[in-house]
Amino acid sequence: MFTAVFQHHHAYLAVCTLVALVLGGSAWLLARRLGKPYGTWWGWLAATLTGVLGVTFMGGGPAGGQCVINHDLAEPFHTTQGLWNLALTVPLGLFALLAVRRPLPVLAGVLTLPVAIEFTQATVSGLGRVCDSSDAEMNILGGLLGLVVATVILASGRSVDWQGGAKAALVTVVAALLLGTGVAEPMLTFTNIDGTGLSAANSPQRRAVEQAVRQAFGDRYALGHVYEQPCVELSCTNILFTLLSRDKNHPRAFANGNLSWPDKKHLNILLEDGNRSAVMGYPVEGAKQPANEQEAFRIAQSYTDKRYPWAQGAVVHRTFPVGEKAELGWMTNWRWLDRDVLMPRMLDVQVDKAGHISQVDVTLGPTHVPLEKARLDARQAEKAVKEAMAAQAEAHGRGTPHGLAVKAFTLKAVDRDGAWRPEWLVGVSADPKADEATMASDAGDAWHVDAVDGRVYDGSGTQVGTD
């Protein structure tokens, strides 16, 4: 909900502060005219509430209609945003009790206001931001902390009505629960995370994503959630993110993407899939609905000429349908070859049936690297994988897998521990006749075989020995 970065919002914050002071002063004057006690605290409460709402909805945009439910309750305590969210509402709970002097209504407000704010951010365009349970958690804790501090301050006096407003507070909480389950929940899409694999991205990571998205699509989309996810069993990190539609007619449309970190060499953005509205597709100027591969290629080429002009230097390109009848459009690959070895730099662009860009996959890297001459051919690479699979199965107490199709399909330059190596990419797929255990445990990502020394790496990048 709240970010600690106020860049380019100084004027907004100045106006917000001025409005908060005006409304706070007005509340104080009104309390005095009505003869209400504690008018000063009412003024501070009005000013604080104005400030909280102003900062909360600062820079609001399209509503995404989705909320992240973080099951790791400790995770926001380790982030700057989480601590700011907590500090933001401490004065709110403090001034609320000093003004109202009834703990139960204040408690009801502290519990329901952050949830209402997150719901508003998820559903109201123009006020949309990131809807996250961690934000509500920290806002509630901050309000409770302020409430406790005010209780300690007032404990020695007799001005607190401990039972006052109990009925109203109960009605408020029950109504919020009923509205949440009956109205709010059907309007939202929830993404559950446990916090063990995902954590909030830091400022450099978010800036890197913003730069990569701007390179690919300019300012067409708003950036939503940004998370850091460590690779499994590898010393790398992926930055996962969502893109939100700026189209006021489709405020809930969104897309997903990921960026490798810290090298920032691989970017993948899926704007559309078979179950997603085509509204997120990126339009190419002058493009019409393609009817075949040639027309789809011209659209993709027009896009790359503007966004990735370096693709013009590719040695080969290929366009093919996605789906049996091009239901999802056409994909164009740009590749660089050096002595029949696939180089690290690659670009894939998918064009949908409407002529929009629906997916972009960018791999930055050199177009030429020094390599030793390959000594293993495709057949020898396939044999090495079969032997490695048998050894791996034996090490895990399983029988040799059967019914798998093993096919070496290309020779590629791979950065292995800081040195470039020519490696065969070997696909392992399940034959329809394979038994279920074999299909589940052995078919998967491409295996790699070093074309010089014959070392074998499984789909996770782990070296597999045959000794």
Side-chain angles (χ1 to χ4, degrees), residues 9 12 54-63 121 124-130 222 244 246:
H9 293 290
Y12 174 89
V55 171
T56 293
F57 298 115
M58 178 179 65
Q121 290 175 328
V124 179
S125 292
L127 300 179
R129 292 288 296 276
V130 176
L244 308 178
R246 296 186 187 273

Side-chain angles (χ1 to χ4, degrees), residues 86-379:
L86 187 147
L88 182 68
T89 52
V90 170
L92 202 57
L94 173 67
F95 295 138
L97 184 57
L98 292 176
V100 177
R101 304 298 170 103
R102 295 182 176 185
L104 294 179
V106 173
L107 177 61
V110 164
L111 295 176
T112 57
L113 178 63
V115 177
I117 288 175
E118 295 303 314
F119 174 72
T120 301
Q121 290 175 328
T123 58
V124 179
S125 292
L127 300 179
R129 292 288 296 276
V130 176
C131 173
D132 195 319
S133 67
S134 295
D135 293 346
E137 171 196 344
M138 299 304 279
N139 287 158
I140 290 173
L141 290 177
L144 291 175
L145 181 58
L147 178 59
V148 170
V149 172
T151 301
V152 172
I153 294 174
L154 299 173
S156 58
R158 297 183 178 180
S159 58
V160 178
D161 185 356
W162 295 101
Q163 297 182 351
K167 184 176 180 180
L170 179 61
V171 170
T172 299
V173 173
V174 171
L177 290 174
L178 292 176
L179 288 173
T181 56
V183 179
E185 186 175 1
M187 297 174 62
L188 301 174
T189 301
F190 296 96
T191 301
N192 292 277
I193 63 173
D194 60 11
T196 57
L198 294 177
S199 59
N202 56 38
S203 295
Q205 291 170 336
R206 190 175 182 90
R207 285 195 298 269
V209 170
E210 290 174 344
Q211 183 177 2
V213 171
R214 193 177 302 112
Q215 173 69 43
F217 307 116
D219 298 325
R220 181 172 180 80
Y221 307 105
L223 187 61
H225 302 295
V226 183
Y227 291 107
E228 173 186 321
Q229 182 184 52
C231 299
V232 179
E233 299 181 355
L234 297 175
S235 57
C236 64
T237 300
N238 286 316
I239 309 301
L240 309 183
F241 58 90
T242 59
L243 298 181
L244 308 178
S245 170
R246 296 186 187 273
D247 188 339
K248 295 181 179 180
N249 296 320
H250 302 277
R252 297 186 182 181
F254 69 97
N256 299 311
N258 63 80
L259 177 69
S260 63
W261 184 265
D263 58 25
K264 300 178 286 186
K265 290 184 177 180
H266 182 236
L267 170 72
N268 177 268
I269 300 177
L270 181 62
L271 297 174
E272 305 171 7
D273 60 23
N275 300 316
R276 187 170 302 154
S277 170
V279 69
M280 288 299 289
Y282 180 77
V284 177
E285 185 177 357
K288 299 179 181 179
Q289 294 184 4
N292 51 49
E293 296 176 6
Q294 291 75 20
E295 293 179 3
F297 169 70
R298 285 195 289 270
I299 295 173
Q301 187 176 43
S302 178
Y303 166 79
T304 57
D305 286 347
K306 183 176 181 180
R307 296 296 173 182
Y308 300 102
W310 44 261
Q312 299 175 4
V315 176
V316 295
H317 62 78
R318 182 172 69 100
T319 302
F320 55 91
V322 182
E324 292 184 4
K325 298 182 179 180
E327 295 89 348
L328 300 179
W330 296 264
M331 180 77 76
T332 298
N333 305 145
W334 283 267
R335 297 292 184 263
W336 283 258
L337 297 173
D338 189 352
R339 291 175 296 178
D340 295 327
V341 179
L342 184 65
M343 292 293 106
R345 176 162 296 208
M346 294 181 286
L347 176 62
D348 299 329
V349 175
Q350 184 174 343
V351 176
D352 67 12
K353 299 285 283 187
H356 297 163
I357 304 302
S358 59
Q359 182 175 192
V360 174
D361 192 283
V362 184
T363 302
L364 300 177
T367 59
H368 171 76
V369 293
L371 293 171
E372 293 186 53
K373 185 177 180 180
R375 299 175 183 174
L376 276 67
D377 60 21
R379 186 170 300 180

